[in-house]
């Protein structure tokens, strides 16, 4: 599989490298990031995407801003860099979380090179933290899969997922996919239904590629297929990721997640969300009214990209003059979520459930 990580600091070149996700699955290209602006562009252009990976990229971006700085107003410049990076994408809270943590590591008592070293250490530490979180979530989610397998007398467990909450959205293993990787490694037979995830097709292009590389049986389905499969007993479990989860357990994830949750609820199918605590917004209590939903370029809807013979082409798929709407995310209310799989365990999607796992957050939220 090559480097299992999706982003890394190249010491020899003194810059950051990452996979350019715009070209997968047709080409697996590595892109270099050596300035704050390149880090921001990587996020806005979705060279990197997925909440935890956006956070780690932003942390490296803060380091690059410091490393390249040569003026005399270092701290105000770092605050400007923070605001500039934060404005890159609005929904995933990991972005603001990582930037605020990065800012809190630097000090007016230190020189620019010292602060710059601290920021690189922070980015590396956040990366390791996310890897650890993925492993933990994987272990807890694995228990759910094992239990379903027992109930099915060893028959393959059919899991439906939406978008890409995999390795490519994190640093390693993923969030929603972490339990799948661990189940597969443990020899538990699983099969994954992969929602194609229009308009950018992160499921068809990225999740399918990832699962294929890992040898995990999977089938790509058009986004509207899940309900039908659920009605016919072909889905045992849904696991998705999250870009921002509020303290009351509402989950913002890729557009279309809510419809899967509704169908799962109607068919009595467990619907789990796997998320590291870096995706929890401790300040919000109502996802639908409070989480900012990104609206992206209409071209993502009107155009599609695909391979023709051996070349990638872009095609228009609707009348030139038809208006389009492109909401990037939706919010699944807590009542439709069976449980949240976090690095500390599985909890109810509620304030009480979340604070039981993260009691240190109680003081400012009671
Ligand atoms: O727009 P994207 O591709 O960044 O959206 C990604 C998702 O919605 C993922 O499901 C989410 O970030 C969870 S990532 C582990």
């Amino acid at each position: 599989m090559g480097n299992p990580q999706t982003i890394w600091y190249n010491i020899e070149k003194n810059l950051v490298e990452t996979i350019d996700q715009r070209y997968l699955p047709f080409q697996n290209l590595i892109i270099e990031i050596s300035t704050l602006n390149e880090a921001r562009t990587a996020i806005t252009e979705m060279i990197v995407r997925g909440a935890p990976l956006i956070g780690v990229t932003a942390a490296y971006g803060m380091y690059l801003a410091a490393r390249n700085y040569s003026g005399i107003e270092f701290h105000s410049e770092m605050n400007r860099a923070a605001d500039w990076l934060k404005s890159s994408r609005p929904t995933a809270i990991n972005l603001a979380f990582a930037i605020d943590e990065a800012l809190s590591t630097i000090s007016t008592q230190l020189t620019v090179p010292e602060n710059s070293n601290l920021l690189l250490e922070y980015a590396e530490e956040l990366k390791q933290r996310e890897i650890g979180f993925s492993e933990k979530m994987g272990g807890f989610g694995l228990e759910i899969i094992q239990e379903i397998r027992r109930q099915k007398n060893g028959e393959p467990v059919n899991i439906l997922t939406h978008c890409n909450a995999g390795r490519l959205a994190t640093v390693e293993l993923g969030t929603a996919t972490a339990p799948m990787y661990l189940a597969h490694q443990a020899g538990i037979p699983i099969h994954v239904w992969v929602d194609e995830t229009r308009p950018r097709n992160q499921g068809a292009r990225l999740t399918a590629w990832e699962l294929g590389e890992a040898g995990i049986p999977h089938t790509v389905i058009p986004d509207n297929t899940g309900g039908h499969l659920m009605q016919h007993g072909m889905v045992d479990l849904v696991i998705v990721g999250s870009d921002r989860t509020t303290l009351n357990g509402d989950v913002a994830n890729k557009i279309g997640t809510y419809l899967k949750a509704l169908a799962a609820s109607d068919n009595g199918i467990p619907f789990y969300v796997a998320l590291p605590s870096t995706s929890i917004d401790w300040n919000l209590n109502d996802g639908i009214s409070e989480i900012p939903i990104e609206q992206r370029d209409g071209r993502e809807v009107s155009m599609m990209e695909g391979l023709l013979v051996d070349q990638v082409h872009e095609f228009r798929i609707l009348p030139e003059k038809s208006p389009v709407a492109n909401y990037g995310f939706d919010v699944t209310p807590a009542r439709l979520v069976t449980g949240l799989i976090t690095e500390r365990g599985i909890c109810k999607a509620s304030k009480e459930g979340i604070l039981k796992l993260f009691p240190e957050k109680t003081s400012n939220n009671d």
Side-chain angles (χ1 to χ4, degrees):
M1 191 199 270
N3 190 341
Q5 299 193 346
T6 50
I7 193 164
W8 58 92
Y9 177 64
N10 185 324
I11 300 176
E12 278 105 61
K13 293 187 184 166
N14 197 17
L15 46 74
V16 177
E17 292 181 324
T18 187
I19 300 166
D20 191 333
Q21 300 193 24
R22 295 171 302 178
Y23 298 107
L24 287 171
F26 311 122
Q27 284 175 286
N28 189 354
L29 300 178
I30 304 299
I31 191 168
E32 296 178 344
I33 301 174
S34 54
T35 65
L36 165 72
N37 281 345
E38 285 172 6
R40 188 177 186 277
T41 301
I43 298 170
T44 55
E45 296 303 307
M46 295 180 72
I47 291 167
V48 297
R49 24 75 45 210
L53 183 57
I54 290 172
V56 175
T57 306
Y60 278 121
M62 291 295 283
Y63 157 65
L64 293 169
R67 201 251 339 241
N68 297 339
Y69 181 72
S70 60
I72 46 166
E73 294 286 334
F74 178 70
H75 287 274
S76 37
E77 192 51 38
M78 289 309 291
N79 283 323
R80 265 196 296 278
D83 291 344
W84 174 235
L85 267 178
K86 275 186 194 174
S87 67
S88 56
R89 289 192 76 188
T91 303
I93 191 66
N94 304 59
L95 178 69
F97 169 84
I99 293 166
D100 288 340
E101 262 200 357
L103 271 183
S104 73
T105 65
I106 59 175
S107 157
T108 49
Q109 310 300 312
L110 299 174
T111 64
V112 172
E114 284 168 341
N115 275 320
S116 159
N117 285 342
L118 283 178
L119 285 165
L120 179 57
E121 273 170 31
Y122 169 68
E124 296 286 329
E125 185 275 317
L126 178 64
K127 190 172 98 163
Q128 291 307 321
R129 209 191 311 168
E130 289 293 1
I131 293 171
F133 286 172
S134 284
E135 285 167 0
K136 291 276 183 208
M137 285 182 280
F140 292 121
L142 174 62
E143 291 171 19
I144 299 168
I145 296 174
Q146 283 168 327
E147 178 51 32
I148 294 175
R149 186 205 185 189
R150 270 192 290 277
Q151 289 164 13
K152 290 188 78 178
N153 294 321
E155 286 291 302
V157 179
N158 286 299
I159 306 165
L160 184 141
T161 193
H162 190 69
C163 193
N164 173 264
R167 175 174 93 81
L168 290 164
T170 61
V171 183
E172 281 184 16
L173 275 185
T175 59
T177 57
M180 304 174 199
Y181 281 117
L182 297 192
H184 183 66
Q185 280 163 21
I188 298 172
I190 62 165
H191 165 262
V192 185
W193 295 109
V194 179
D195 279 352
E196 63 175 349
T197 318
R198 281 280 291 141
R200 286 188 70 99
N201 295 320
Q202 289 96 325
R205 294 184 66 148
L206 306 178
T207 306
W209 180 77
E210 247 195 77
L211 296 177
E213 292 273 299
I216 298 177
H218 62 279
T219 308
V220 179
I221 48 173
D223 285 331
N224 299 326
T225 309
H228 168 78
L229 297 176
M230 291 181 197
Q231 286 174 325
H232 290 272
M234 294 162 80
V235 179
D236 301 305
L237 167 68
V238 180
I239 314 180
V240 296
S242 168
D243 288 83
R244 191 185 300 220
T245 294
T246 60
L247 190 57
N248 70 326
D250 292 341
V251 173
N253 191 49
K254 183 51 56 192
I255 193 83
T257 303
Y258 169 49
L259 295 180
K260 295 298 136 65
L262 281 173
S265 165
D266 194 43
N267 290 281
I269 292 163
F271 182 97
Y272 283 92
V273 182
L275 65 135
S277 55
T278 46
S279 299
I280 299 177
D281 190 331
W282 305 99
N283 299 313
L284 299 191
N285 278 296
D286 180 57
I288 294 169
S289 65
E290 294 179 311
I291 296 179
I293 299 295
E294 177 178 20
Q295 288 190 58
R296 295 188 58 86
D297 195 326
R299 279 176 57 87
E300 292 182 352
V301 179
S302 57
M303 308 296 287
M304 264 185 107
E305 204 177 58
L307 201 62
L308 187 64
V309 193
D310 55 1
Q311 283 207 322
V312 178
H313 291 268
E314 221 187 11
F315 309 91
R316 186 157 52 77
I317 58 165
L318 46 86
E320 206 168 358
K321 291 195 176 144
S322 292
V324 297
N326 188 9
Y327 294 89
F329 300 89
D330 61 23
V331 174
T332 299
R335 68 187 153 78
L336 297 175
V337 177
T338 310
L340 303 176
I341 305 171
T342 77
E343 74 271 15
R344 296 220 185 142
I346 300 172
C347 68
K348 270 197 181 328
S350 66
K351 183 171 176 177
E352 200 192 12
I354 293 173
L355 290 179
K356 217 180 257 177
L357 288 184
F358 297 91
E360 73 276 17
K361 299 286 182 185
T362 304
S363 51
N364 36 351
N365 286 299
D366 48 11

